[in-house]
Amino acid sequence: MKVSMEWIGELVDIKGVTPKEYADKMTMSGSKVEGIENPGDEIQNVVVGKILKIEKHPDADKLVVCQLDVGQDENLQIVTGAKNVYEGQLVPVALHKSKLPGGVEITKGKLRGVLSQGMMCSHEELGLGINDYEGANENGIMTVVDDVQPGTDIKKVLGLDKHIIEFEITPNRQDCLSVIGLARETAVTFDKPLKLPEVSVKGSGGNINDILSVEVKNTELCKRYTARVVKNVKIGPSPKWLVERLQGCGLRSINNIVDITNYILLEYGQPMHAFDISYLEGSKIIVRNAENNETITTLDGVDRKLDPSMLVICDAKKAVAVAGVMGGENSEIKDDTKTIVFETANFDGKSIRLTAKKLGMRTDASALYEKFLDPFMVKEASDRACQLVEMLGAGEVVDGIIDINNAEDKREWIEVNPDKINAFLGTDISEQFMVDTLKKLDFEVKDGKCLAPTYRQDIEFMADIAEEVVRIYGYDKIPSTLLRGETTPGGRDMLKNTEIKVKNILAGLGLYEIMTYSFISPKTLDMMNIPEDSALRKMTVISNPLGEENSVMRTTTIGSMLETLARNNNLRNESAKLFEIGKTYIPTTEDKLPDEHNKITIGMYGDKVDFFVLKGVIEELCEAACVKCMEYTANKENLTFHPGRCADVLINGKNAGIMGEIHPLVSKKYGFESKVYVAEIDFASFAAAVDTEKKFKPLPKFPAVTRDLAVIIDSGVPVSEIEKVIKESCGKILEKLQLFDVYKGKQIPDDKKSVAYALTMRSAEGTLTEEEITNAMNKIVKNIENKLGGKLR
């Protein structure tokens, strides 16, 4: 919100207050100032000059030489090609070393051999529009119509010497999106009386009900609607003071009628619209919902398709405006307009916001309406507009007003308890100060309670009252105190500690952490060769996705990992080792949110990466995190992975994930030429298996015994099954088991393999005897033969 400090100064006496002081105090009282502007800063050393004499240029037919009085000891000579100059004319003159908007600098020089000591300016060269000043000329030099002396600074003449204050108004303070609202805040902040304009309309006779009728069919979306009629309208330029005020707030002058509606928008924060009554068929206004496929051409010349959710203003046959957003081209004010209808209304903010969004045309009016304006200021704003019409001589106001009021006063009295407020704020503010402050803010106070004004719809609770008091009292006056109160000690739970531990371990193993979106494309599962009947394809669909590539919530993190690896591969990274702890979302029922499951995902590719590197990373992770119950079983069914290089990850005997080489067909889809390896492990299962209990184990007192064991067994038997049998057979005396050879070749049948282990055995109770060792080894061999069909080599 932009407003000139001088306009505020007409409503509140702030003489002697500098713009900096004003900005600081207003910010401290809750009306944050974003900046201070001076519109004329880009204009330097430009003054009013009077043309004394005009002569032809001696060497150019289209140029003339002018002698000007610019308030200096000597007259100025300027050469110009403008055709609208004449002797006695007052014009803007850019002197030697002057500056104009856009960084233009003017210096003296010669034109066709004749000295020119400056430049006479047009309105465009001064950064003005054709309607911004009465003396603007489309085809020549601007004429200064004010009665001023030569040498007067042009900024003072054009009203560009004002201080423009830009406020950042929060959405809950819609009352401050107006000059009157900011003047109220200024008055309380500086403890000065507020001088609002006295609103009265003289009228010119007649009866509005004989000219116009209004019907509101949807009273929920239109809380209040007022209409006034002005006849014998005289469309023309606005006076200088009105133009300057609009300019100060960032608006350009159009004509007197449009400028009045914009002035009310700024002064009261109440949008208005003016209709040409000659275009209202039946001299009737109907406020209703649009019909299916109804259309309207708005003032910007665009055809808009409406639907029944939108509120429109209609005459007896057609829509003439989109309520609260923009008027229609079929009823706009033109130069020959004679009778107009001023519409001032209060529309439902939510409806206006949705309508503007659907039509793609957010306007100044809709931006205000969507903040839920005060319906009780509608009539005063309408009267003020008619008062301005009479002040400007822009028409004759017909007596009477049509006011359809369906607004309810829902305000409630709120307790003012000084003890509670001080305890809440940590202050010691007197009750009298609180009462006086609330009264200055237009609150009604009696019997220990207060009632907020109708324009303060943000006041609901005692905390809101406390805020009103303290912002005027001064936030800087609140004493600093140490934090106090009972609280629970902070800390991380087991799952969070495990998550941090896993990340640190994987990072220590040389992997880089990534973060991917939970939203994926349905095509991701096609890329991964997921079967059509797979449970993974039952995904939660986003109701308002940004696009198809982010339209569903993932049920597996493998696709996200593959996309990240592929991106690195496309960027010519020779190798990559990545990990992520991310969520998957498994749908439940229609009325419930999906179940969320954290997954540890590991992905890698490169020359020094293979199946066993991935397996080693997982085993190192388990060992460092104290997970000792992890096993692997072959998986040949998962179509995402290579059928011979894929394994299910089991924790405590239950399936907790999968690991292996990605299927070559899937790798090819992602653009890989090398092999890719990925693992996905359920984090909850992993965390539940973490053994956080630290056990002390004394150093051994008795010597260890080592034995080597080689068995011939079917090629399809996993090594893990052999190790399981050895551990079960040997029992507690087995201290260490290490695989050191797997052999296929001569002396071994084609469907067999030789697996060799080094066993370390030790007893805590005494030195092992040869008999105990032999019994243990015999038991191992016997169980391998019986359970796995192997034999001692």
Side-chain angles (χ1 to χ4, degrees):
M1 174 74 186
K2 289 184 178 181
V3 62
S4 71
M5 193 172 167
E6 287 71 19
W7 191 353
I8 295 289
E10 290 190 10
L11 304 179
V12 183
D13 184 9
I14 49 174
K15 290 180 181 177
V17 178
T18 67
K20 180 69 167 58
E21 292 171 341
Y22 179 79
D24 291 343
K25 283 197 173 185
M26 289 298 287
T27 297
M28 288 301 295
S29 67
S31 303
K32 183 182 177 184
V33 174
E34 280 289 285
I36 305 171
E37 301 176 8
N38 294 95
D41 275 353
E42 287 191 299
I43 301 175
Q44 300 293 332
N45 206 22
V46 180
V47 301
V48 175
K50 183 177 183 179
I51 300 177
L52 302 176
K53 187 177 181 182
I54 300 176
E55 297 177 336
K56 280 189 174 185
H57 191 287
D59 215 16
D61 294 337
K62 295 183 179 180
L63 300 178
V64 294
V65 181
C66 303
Q67 302 295 326
L68 295 98
D69 176 7
V70 292
Q72 299 178 0
D73 294 338
E74 297 182 0
N75 293 337
L76 216 64
Q77 178 174 288
I78 295 178
V79 179
T80 181
K83 297 181 179 180
N84 67 321
V85 294
Y86 54 89
E87 293 181 358
Q89 182 183 13
L90 294 177
V91 295
V93 178
L95 304 177
H96 176 57
K97 293 186 177 180
S98 60
K99 294 183 179 180
L100 299 177
V104 177
E105 296 187 8
I106 304 298
T107 57
K108 62 183 179 181
K110 289 186 177 181
L111 287 176
R112 299 293 292 271
V114 175
L115 177 65
S116 183
Q117 297 173 296
M119 183 182 78
M120 292 181 281
C121 303
S122 68
H123 66 279
E124 292 177 337
E125 288 163 332
L126 294 173
L128 302 178
I130 189 66
N131 293 323
D132 289 342
Y133 186 74
E134 185 180 348
N137 189 305
E138 289 185 352
N139 301 308
I141 301 301
M142 188 177 83
T143 300
V144 177
V145 298
D146 298 76
D147 185 14
V148 293
Q149 293 296 319
T152 304
D153 192 329
I154 196 66
K155 290 188 287 188
K156 183 177 181 180
V157 176
L158 301 177
L160 299 177
D161 57 342
K162 305 288 191 295
H163 298 95
I164 306 301
I165 311 296
E166 183 177 2
F167 291 90
E168 180 186 337
I169 307 299
T170 53
N172 65 311
R173 291 302 306 272
Q174 65 273 26
D175 59 300
C176 287
L177 290 169
S178 65
V179 175
I180 288 178
L182 291 171
R184 287 195 195 101
E185 292 295 306
T186 301
V188 179
T189 300
F190 289 89
D191 196 17
K192 299 282 186 178
L194 178 65
K195 300 173 289 185
L196 294 179
E198 295 183 6
V199 180
S200 63
V201 182
K202 297 177 182 177
S204 61
N207 188 334
I208 188 174
N209 294 301
D210 297 333
I211 302 173
L212 181 71
S213 63
V214 177
E215 178 185 3
V216 177
K217 291 188 175 182
N218 190 330
T219 57
E220 289 297 318
L221 299 185
C222 179
K223 299 293 184 183
R224 192 167 188 179
Y225 193 97
T226 67
R228 300 207 68 156
V229 174
V230 179
K231 63 182 181 180
N232 297 326
V233 173
K234 300 173 184 176
I235 305 294
S238 296
K240 181 181 177 183
W241 67 269
L242 179 54
V243 173
E244 287 181 0
R245 287 191 174 178
L246 294 179
Q247 285 177 343
C249 297
L251 298 178
R252 287 200 177 278
S253 174
I254 306 298
N255 59 53
N256 49 7
I257 297 300
V258 175
D259 290 354
I260 286 172
T261 62
N262 285 334
Y263 187 86
I264 298 301
L265 180 76
L266 296 172
E267 188 176 39
Y268 282 84
Q270 172 63 53
M272 289 187 66
H273 187 66
F275 299 100
D276 186 332
I277 199 170
S278 64
Y279 295 108
L280 296 179
E281 296 194 43
S283 297
K284 186 177 182 66
I285 287 178
I286 302 172
V287 184
R288 61 168 173 82
N289 289 78
E291 298 173 355
N292 269 324
N293 298 321
E294 187 172 5
T295 60
I296 183 175
T297 303
T298 46
L299 286 171
D300 54 3
V302 178
D303 293 334
R304 311 280 181 179
K305 187 176 180 180
L306 310 176
D307 65 54
S309 68
M310 302 174 183
L311 195 68
V312 292
I313 312 299
C314 309
D315 59 19
K317 292 185 178 181
K318 63 183 181 300
V320 295
V322 181
V325 182
M326 187 179 286
E329 196 176 55
N330 54 13
S331 61
E332 68 174 316
I333 304 299
K334 298 181 179 178
D335 292 342
D336 59 351
T337 296
K338 296 301 179 185
T339 304
I340 63 171
V341 176
F342 273 139
E343 167 197 273
T344 316
N346 183 271
F347 301 114
D348 178 73
K350 181 179 179 181
S351 171
I352 299 303
R353 182 178 64 83
L354 292 175
T355 297
K357 185 177 180 181
K358 285 182 180 179
L359 297 177
M361 49 184 299
R362 193 168 188 261
T363 61
D364 290 340
S366 69
L368 277 170
Y369 275 124
E370 67 186 32
K371 293 176 176 62
F372 295 90
L373 301 179
D374 177 19
F376 297 95
M377 72 171 173
V378 168
K379 183 178 181 299
E380 184 177 352
S382 179
D383 290 342
R384 175 64 166 160
C386 293
Q387 181 186 34
L388 291 174
V389 169
E390 293 178 339
M391 285 175 58
L392 302 185
E396 300 173 6
V397 180
V398 176
D399 287 351
I401 180 173
I402 297 175
D403 184 4
I404 300 176
N405 187 3
N406 294 296
E408 298 179 19
D409 189 349
K410 297 182 179 180
R411 295 176 296 163
E412 295 183 359
W413 289 85
I414 303 173
E415 181 184 8
V416 181
N417 187 319
D419 293 337
K420 287 185 179 180
I421 290 175
N422 278 319
F424 179 70
L425 297 174
T427 55
D428 188 22
I429 303 173
S430 68
E431 181 179 2
Q432 189 60 48
F433 181 87
M434 294 182 186
V435 171
D436 292 344
T437 298
L438 292 173
K439 287 182 177 179
K440 290 175 183 177
L441 289 168
D442 276 357
F443 284 70
E444 200 175 331
V445 184
K446 64 179 181 181
D447 300 329
K449 294 184 177 181
C450 69
L451 185 67
T454 58
Y455 55 80
R456 289 301 305 275
Q457 299 177 45
D458 58 311
I459 305 296
E460 298 183 52
F461 310 105
M462 189 267 301
D464 299 321
I465 302 300
E467 181 185 6
E468 294 302 296
V469 171
V470 75
R471 70 185 181 88
I472 303 303
Y473 175 75
Y475 291 111
D476 55 328
K477 296 179 183 178
I478 299 176
S480 299
T481 57
L482 294 174
L483 291 174
R484 62 183 185 274
E486 296 182 2
T487 184
T488 56
R492 302 188 184 101
D493 60 15
M494 185 275 290
L495 285 176
K496 190 63 181 177
N497 281 328
T498 303
E499 180 182 334
I500 293 172
K501 190 173 185 179
V502 168
K503 289 181 178 180
N504 288 337
I505 293 169
L506 291 174
L509 291 171
L511 280 72
Y512 289 90
E513 184 180 5
I514 62 171
M515 296 178 68
T516 59
Y517 289 115
S518 298
F519 308 143
I520 63 171
S521 169
K523 296 179 181 178
T524 299
L525 300 188
D526 296 332
M527 297 274 286
M528 294 168 57
N529 283 352
I530 301 296
E532 292 294 333
D533 58 349
S534 172
L536 294 177
R537 287 193 176 270
K538 296 178 181 178
M539 294 180 285
T540 302
V541 179
I542 307 300
S543 58
N544 56 341
L546 297 175
E548 185 184 3
E549 67 276 8
N550 300 110
S551 61
V552 294
M553 303 187 78
R554 65 188 179 190
T555 53
T556 174
T557 56
I558 294 176
S560 301
M561 177 58 72
L562 287 173
E563 288 179 2
T564 307
L565 290 170
R567 192 174 301 115
N568 278 270
N569 183 53
N570 292 336
L571 293 173
R572 301 185 183 280
N573 288 335
E574 294 181 358
S575 63
K577 294 180 180 179
L578 311 175
F579 77 92
E580 177 185 21
I581 299 181
K583 291 185 183 296
T584 60
Y585 302 83
I586 309 302
T588 51
T589 58
E590 291 184 1
D591 58 340
K592 291 185 178 180
L593 294 174
D595 288 337
E596 299 181 18
H597 301 277
N598 263 338
K599 300 288 184 180
I600 304 172
T601 314
I602 302 171
M604 54 184 68
Y605 71 86
D607 292 339
K608 297 182 180 181
V609 171
D610 59 22
F611 179 90
F612 296 103
V613 170
L614 176 61
K615 183 171 179 285
V617 168
I618 297 173
E619 290 176 347
E620 287 283 350
L621 171 63
C622 292
E623 184 176 347
C626 300
V627 175
K628 303 183 184 304
C629 48
M630 182 174 284
E631 301 174 86
Y632 306 92
T633 60
N635 184 333
K636 299 182 179 181
E637 308 298 326
N638 194 310
L639 301 180
T640 303
F641 290 86
H642 190 295
R645 298 166 191 165
C646 175
D648 288 329
V649 179
L650 278 63
I651 297 178
N652 286 325
K654 295 182 180 180
N655 195 324
I658 193 168
M659 63 152 291
E661 179 186 328
I662 296 299
H663 197 289
L665 295 178
V666 176
S667 298
K668 189 174 181 181
K669 291 180 183 178
Y670 282 96
F672 288 101
E673 294 181 0
S674 60
K675 296 177 181 179
V676 184
Y677 301 88
V678 174
E680 182 186 62
I681 302 170
D682 183 64
F683 177 75
S685 301
F686 182 91
V690 172
D691 186 3
T692 57
E693 185 178 351
K694 303 296 183 181
K695 297 179 180 178
F696 169 73
K697 186 177 181 181
L699 293 173
K701 296 180 181 179
F702 306 102
V705 177
T706 60
R707 292 287 187 271
D708 290 343
L709 174 68
V711 295
I712 297 174
I713 200 164
D714 290 342
S715 296
V717 177
V719 170
S720 60
E721 292 294 324
I722 303 173
E723 293 178 356
K724 185 177 180 182
V725 171
I726 294 174
K727 291 175 182 177
E728 290 175 352
S729 303
C730 202
K732 292 182 179 179
I733 66 171
L734 181 65
E735 185 178 80
K736 185 178 180 182
L737 177 65
Q738 183 173 1
L739 174 70
F740 67 84
D741 184 53
V742 177
Y743 174 72
K744 286 183 178 183
K746 294 180 180 180
Q747 303 176 351
I748 304 295
D750 292 341
D751 59 344
K752 303 289 184 177
K753 63 182 176 182
S754 173
V755 183
Y757 287 96
L759 287 72
T760 302
M761 292 178 282
R762 190 196 306 264
S763 173
E765 299 174 357
T767 303
L768 290 172
T769 64
E770 187 63 34
E771 183 181 357
E772 288 176 318
I773 297 169
T774 302
N775 288 339
M777 294 299 292
N778 290 339
K779 188 177 180 180
I780 292 171
V781 173
K782 182 178 179 181
N783 285 337
I784 289 176
E785 290 176 352
N786 294 337
K787 294 182 179 181
L788 304 178
K791 65 178 181 179
L792 187 65
R793 182 181 178 187

